[in-house]
Amino acid sequence: MTGIIIAITSMAGVSATFGQEADHAPGKPLLEVRAVGAQIYQCKETDSDGLKWMLREPIATLVDGGRTIGTHSRGPTWKIEDGSSVEGRVLSASTGHSTGNIPESHLAITRNNGRGRLAKATMIERINTNGGMPPSSCSVAGALLAVPYTATYIFRQ
């Protein structure tokens, strides 16, 4: 399966405006890619809501100009073919432009690896999200669910 997934930690109370304002984000754009993949969820027991789908990991392919150049996976981590990679954490996120879409978000780079195109990246924007959100509840603890999604990632310096 090819695709993209981003692990998002708790987003309660976090909001922002994205997408159309991407050109006004701080920092010089280093790389813009399209992600195609899935968000992988696992059905888990919660203290207050019973069984609920919880994000386990993203799995995605990063595409530039119609060519696969990398992957996005648990961490969250983005790796590209020149050997460079980054890990990030969510700084802010929107509530999504549709209930079925994962939030658009700004992520801080927490680790850079390699000497390629991502070596100087300091932040990532996730915009133009489509899909990726699970149903509100699940019924079998431990079950897995892959929810397809796409997004645009802009890596900035």
Side-chain angles (χ1 to χ4, degrees), residues 15-38:
S15 66
T17 303
F18 298 89
Q20 295 176 341
E21 296 183 11
D23 292 336
H24 304 291
K28 173 185 169 186
L30 296 172
L31 177 65
E32 182 174 323
V33 296
R34 186 77 176 148
V36 180

Side-chain angles (χ1 to χ4, degrees), residues 20-156:
Q20 295 176 341
E21 296 183 11
D23 292 336
H24 304 291
K28 173 185 169 186
L30 296 172
L31 177 65
E32 182 174 323
V33 296
R34 186 77 176 148
V36 180
Q39 298 281 346
I40 308 300
Y41 295 90
Q42 186 166 17
C43 185
K44 292 187 176 184
E45 184 75 36
T46 65
D47 290 337
S48 59
D49 296 330
L51 290 173
K52 185 174 180 181
W53 291 113
M54 305 293 287
L55 184 64
R56 178 178 166 153
E57 61 189 325
I59 299 172
T61 297
L62 303 178
V63 179
D64 182 23
R67 191 172 68 82
T68 298
I69 67 159
T71 60
H72 174 54
S73 60
R74 183 183 300 225
T77 301
W78 295 260
K79 295 179 184 179
I80 62 172
E81 64 188 2
D82 67 7
S84 62
S85 66
V86 294
E87 293 177 28
R89 70 175 170 80
V90 175
L91 293 175
S92 62
S94 71
T95 55
H97 53 277
S98 168
T99 57
N101 298 337
I102 57 173
E104 295 187 341
S105 57
H106 285 117
L107 298 98
I109 303 279
T110 58
R111 174 180 275 168
N112 298 69
N113 298 301
R115 296 184 179 175
R117 294 172 76 181
L118 300 180
K120 295 183 180 180
T122 59
M123 78 169 288
I124 304 168
E125 290 176 273
R126 178 174 68 190
I127 61 172
N128 304 323
T129 61
N130 186 18
M133 291 298 293
S136 59
S137 64
C138 55
S139 59
V140 179
L144 297 174
L145 174 68
V147 182
Y149 88 99
T150 61
T152 299
Y153 288 95
I154 302 172
F155 297 86
R156 293 185 177 271

